[in-house]
Amino acid sequence: GDQQVVLAQRRSAEVCAVDQLSDGARDQLYFALRLAGIEYQLSHLDEPLPVVFDDVLVNFDDQRTAVALRTLASLGSRTQVVLFTHHAGVVAAAQGAIEPGQLAVRRLAPRDHGSPPSAQGTPWAAPRPEGFPQPGPTKRPSGTDCAEAILDVVRRVGRPLSKADILAAAQIPEERWPQAIRRLVDAGTLVQEGVKRGARYRAAGG
């Protein structure tokens, strides 16, 4: 019809829809498209604008992370490139993949997200929404327990929740999130509404 669709072609020449790709391959496809768009814009600007990326390599494996970082370094010869990340592994990979003269690492101090100006620096906790579960015990679940913890939080709240909300309430390690949430969504236990940072999750049938 009149709808544009993005298709991916594997090395085997198989053509597939984007939702048939793994999370990592899908992120790499969109990363490549974004870079192509940026390079097109740079060629049409009188003065190049800085380019900012925010944790775009989360689902990349080590080899593809190194290639992506070298690609960003190459882009840095045309304009300033800023990559935010809270993963120490990405910093280490950048230091190994990029020439020292092309890389500057800046570590930002933790920010107090809850202190209003009137508190003069005194920490405070914003009230949690009514019905939202308080954080669980300090002992964090691992393995298959992570999926159960996620499901328990979503069912107790009874409304769609973001990844950040679920992690805060379930107290699970963030590195366990991709596998646990994919297991729940693929099994039809949870329903994902939206994509990427705007995604929210609700119990099936809820």
Side-chain angles (χ1 to χ4, degrees):
D2 58 358
Q3 182 179 3
Q4 291 185 327
V5 178
V6 176
L7 299 176
Q9 184 175 22
R10 302 184 189 273
R11 290 182 179 176
S12 62
E14 174 193 3
V15 176
C16 57
V18 173
D19 59 8
Q20 293 176 283
L21 301 174
S22 66
D23 289 345
R26 189 162 51 242
D27 278 5
Q28 289 145 25
L29 172 63
Y30 287 133
F31 180 71
L33 291 173
R34 188 179 309 176
L35 285 176
I38 290 169
E39 291 180 350
Y40 175 83
Q41 292 292 335
L42 288 175
S43 66
H44 288 75
L45 292 174
D46 293 332
E47 183 178 349
L49 298 175
V51 181
V52 180
F53 296 93
D54 186 8
D55 258 339
V56 292
L57 308 179
V58 174
N59 292 320
F60 284 39
D61 59 30
D62 292 344
Q63 180 180 359
R64 287 171 174 163
T65 293
V67 172
L69 289 167
R70 284 193 291 268
T71 303
L72 291 179
S74 176
L75 182 64
S77 66
R78 302 178 60 187
T79 186
Q80 182 184 22
V81 176
V82 179
L83 171 63
F84 288 103
T85 182
H86 64 282
H87 295 280
V90 173
V91 178
Q95 291 170 329
I98 301 174
E99 294 295 328
Q102 295 180 289
L103 176 67
V105 177
R106 297 289 183 266
R107 289 178 169 83
L108 305 180
R111 192 174 51 164
D112 184 357
H113 294 273
S115 294
S118 60
Q120 297 181 348
T122 304
W124 71 292
R128 301 177 73 81
E130 183 177 353
F132 195 89
Q134 296 297 320
T138 55
K139 182 179 179 181
R140 294 182 171 186
S142 60
T144 56
D145 292 340
C146 290
E148 296 176 5
I150 291 172
L151 185 59
D152 178 64
V153 168
V154 175
R155 282 177 170 169
R156 278 190 289 151
V157 175
R159 58 179 172 80
L161 296 175
S162 68
K163 171 186 172 181
D165 288 337
I166 297 172
L167 287 176
Q171 291 290 285
I172 68 171
E174 185 171 0
E175 62 269 19
R176 298 281 188 174
W177 169 266
Q179 182 179 3
I181 196 66
R182 183 53 53 198
R183 183 187 303 130
L184 292 168
V185 172
D186 289 348
T189 309
L190 287 187
V191 175
Q192 178 177 331
E193 300 177 348
V195 295
K196 297 292 181 182
R197 294 184 181 276
R200 292 183 175 273
Y201 304 86
R202 61 175 174 82

